Amino acid sequence: TLQGATGNNLKNVTAQIPLGTFICVTGVSGSGKSSLINSTLVPLLSRQLYHSKREPLPYQSIEGVKNIDKLVVVDQSPLGRTPRSNPATYTGLFTEIRKIFVALPESKARGYKPGRFSFNVAGGRCEACKGNGYRTLEMNFLPNVTIPCEVCHGKRYTRETLEVRYRGKTIADVLEMTINQASEFFENIPQLHRRLEVMRKVGLGYIKLGQPSTTLSGGESQRVKLSEDLTKKDTGNTLYILDEPTTGLHFEDIRVLLGILNRLVDRGNTVIIIEHNLDIIRSADYLIEIGPEGGRDGGQLIYQGAPEGLISHPDSPTAPFLAQELQQAQATSPAKQANKKRSKS
C-alpha cells in the first residue's frame, strides 16, 4: 500500500497493490501514471531493497515491502547508445557463441582466442571499418550516409577470421541470423537454445542477433530486456514493472507477451504494467486508473479494483472503451471468457 503520493500532479493518491496479481495502471496521457509508479514507487522500492540513492517523489508511507524480495524494472530506453550494441551482446549470447568458435579445431590450430571473434577489439575484425561493417560519409547540410565497407563488404571481420566455420557458418553468418533461425541452429547447445527460446517467446523471433540496438524500437528494446530477466531465476516474490510494452506490437505479439507475463504471475510474482492498450487492460486482474484528465486536471485516483467494476464508473474516461471491448470479446469468443473467469476464480 502506497499512501499519500503527492509528487508532480498527484493529489494525495493512496494505491492498493495486491501482490501475486497482474496489475494495469491506466489513464490518459499526463494523468500521473509515471509519477506514481516510475517516480514514486520504483525509487522507493529501490532504496529499501538495493539501497539506491535515487529520491522518490513525496509520499506519506508504504506498507508491505517485506513481501517483495526483488524488483525488475523493464523500460523502453535503448539497449546501447552505439550501433555496436545489439541483442546478442546485450543478453550475453555473443560471449557464448564466441566460446563455441574458439573451441573449434581450426581455431585451436591457429591459436585464436575469444577476442579474435569480437568486432569491438583489434585482431580479428576488419580494421577498415573498425568492425562496424559499414562506413559513414558525412554530408554537408544533409544527414550522414552509411555505406557497406568496401573491404569486408559488411561482414565486420577479416578473411582469416571468416575461414573458421561452425556447422558451415561463419561468425558473421551467425550475427545475420534471426532469433528464430539461431534457436534452431543452436538447438543442441542448451545454454544458448534456452535463452534464444525465451527471446522467441516474447515475440522477438524476427530480430537479427547482430542488429544494431539503435535500430530497435522502444517496445523491441523493452522485450529484449524482459527476455534477459526471464532467463534469470525468479524468486516467486519478484515485482516486475513495465512501461507501455505494447508500443509498436502486432496483436499476435501482444498475445504472446500476455502469455509470458501471466506465467510469471502464476509462479507467485507480481506484474505492474503502465498501459493504454485495451487488450492489456481487460486481461489484467486489477486496475488502477489515474485521471480524469492530464496535467493539473489529473493526478486523482479514479478507480482501483477488478476490470469489470470499472465499466460502470461514471468518472472514468476508460470505462466506455473497456465496456465496448468486453462486449466484443464476449460476442466473438464466449468460451474463452468463461475459461478466463474459471482460471481467475
Side-chain angles (χ1 to χ4, degrees):
T1 303
L2 176 61
Q3 297 180 339
T6 57
N8 293 337
N9 66 335
L10 295 176
K11 298 177 174 63
N12 199 28
V13 172
T14 295
Q16 302 282 344
I17 301 173
L19 300 179
T21 61
F22 182 12
I23 304 159
C24 179
V25 180
T26 189
V28 301
S29 296
S31 60
K33 304 183 298 298
S34 293
S35 296
L36 178 65
I37 303 299
N38 293 333
S39 300
T40 306
L41 182 63
V42 169
L44 177 55
L45 293 177
S46 296
R47 292 186 72 181
Q48 298 203 24
L49 294 175
Y50 307 115
H51 306 291
S52 169
K53 295 184 179 180
R54 182 185 170 191
E55 287 285 341
L57 293 178
Y59 70 100
Q60 289 181 3
S61 63
I62 187 169
E63 299 174 2
V65 179
K66 63 181 180 181
N67 299 314
I68 301 170
D69 56 17
K70 185 179 178 182
L71 173 67
V72 176
V73 180
V74 187
D75 58 21
Q76 294 196 11
S77 59
L79 302 182
R81 297 182 180 180
T82 68
R84 291 182 181 276
S85 174
N86 56 54
T89 57
Y90 182 84
T91 58
L93 288 170
F94 196 44
T95 300
E96 299 297 326
I97 292 171
R98 285 189 291 137
K99 287 180 181 178
I100 293 174
F101 276 86
V102 170
L104 295 173
E106 182 73 15
S107 294
K108 291 183 177 180
R110 299 186 181 200
Y112 288 169
K113 302 298 181 183
R116 182 80 193 191
F117 299 97
S118 172
F119 50 77
N120 288 319
V121 297
R125 70 181 184 183
C126 171
E127 289 302 320
C129 62
K130 303 297 182 184
N132 284 320
Y134 62 87
R135 293 205 311 138
T136 302
L137 299 179
E138 294 185 3
M139 307 289 289
N140 292 331
F141 309 109
L142 292 172
N144 293 341
V145 176
T146 58
I147 60 173
C149 175
E150 63 274 12
V151 177
C152 67
H153 305 288
K155 298 292 186 180
R156 297 186 173 192
Y157 295 94
T158 62
R159 178 178 55 82
E160 292 78 14
T161 305
L162 296 176
E163 288 175 353
V164 179
R165 294 175 179 267
Y166 172 70
R167 295 179 57 193
K169 300 292 185 181
T170 67
I171 189 74
D173 293 334
V174 171
L175 288 173
E176 282 297 308
M177 289 182 179
T178 63
I179 301 298
N180 287 335
Q181 293 170 336
S183 180
E184 183 178 347
F185 185 74
F186 292 110
E187 62 181 351
N188 295 323
I189 312 294
Q191 64 267 33
L192 280 176
H193 181 68
R194 180 176 59 86
R195 296 164 81 173
L196 288 165
E197 275 296 289
V198 172
M199 296 180 73
R200 186 184 64 79
K201 288 178 180 178
V202 298
L204 291 170
Y206 60 93
I207 297 291
K208 291 183 178 180
L209 284 176
Q211 183 170 334
S213 298
T214 52
T215 65
L216 298 178
S217 69
E220 288 168 341
S221 297
Q222 193 171 38
R223 280 180 291 151
V224 171
K225 295 176 185 178
L226 179 61
S227 69
E228 171 66 6
D229 285 307
L230 291 176
T231 59
K232 302 173 184 176
K233 188 175 181 180
D234 64 76
T235 62
N237 296 314
T238 301
L239 174 60
Y240 293 86
I241 296 180
L242 296 87
D243 192 352
E244 299 194 28
T246 64
T247 302
L249 293 194
H250 186 270
F251 298 117
E252 178 63 17
D253 292 329
I254 294 175
R255 185 189 67 80
V256 171
L257 179 64
L258 278 171
I260 294 286
L261 297 177
N262 279 320
R263 282 197 288 274
L264 286 174
V265 175
D266 290 341
R267 295 203 291 261
N269 302 295
T270 306
V271 174
I272 298 178
I273 291 188
I274 302 173
E275 191 56 80
H276 298 99
N277 186 281
L278 286 171
D279 285 329
I280 299 290
I281 294 173
R282 70 181 176 90
S283 300
D285 301 315
Y286 189 86
L287 292 181
I288 297 175
E289 182 171 14
I290 308 295
E293 302 295 335
R296 67 178 63 184
D297 296 325
Q300 301 177 42
L301 181 64
I302 302 298
Y303 174 82
Q304 54 184 344
E308 293 78 6
L310 180 65
I311 297 175
S312 58
H313 199 288
D315 300 325
S316 169
T318 308
F321 299 98
L322 180 60
Q324 184 178 4
E325 180 75 11
L326 289 174
Q327 287 176 358
Q328 291 178 353
Q330 290 172 353
T332 55
S333 182
K336 288 184 179 180
Q337 292 298 315
N339 288 336
K340 179 181 176 184
K341 287 181 180 178
R342 281 198 299 272
S343 65
K344 282 189 178 182
S345 63

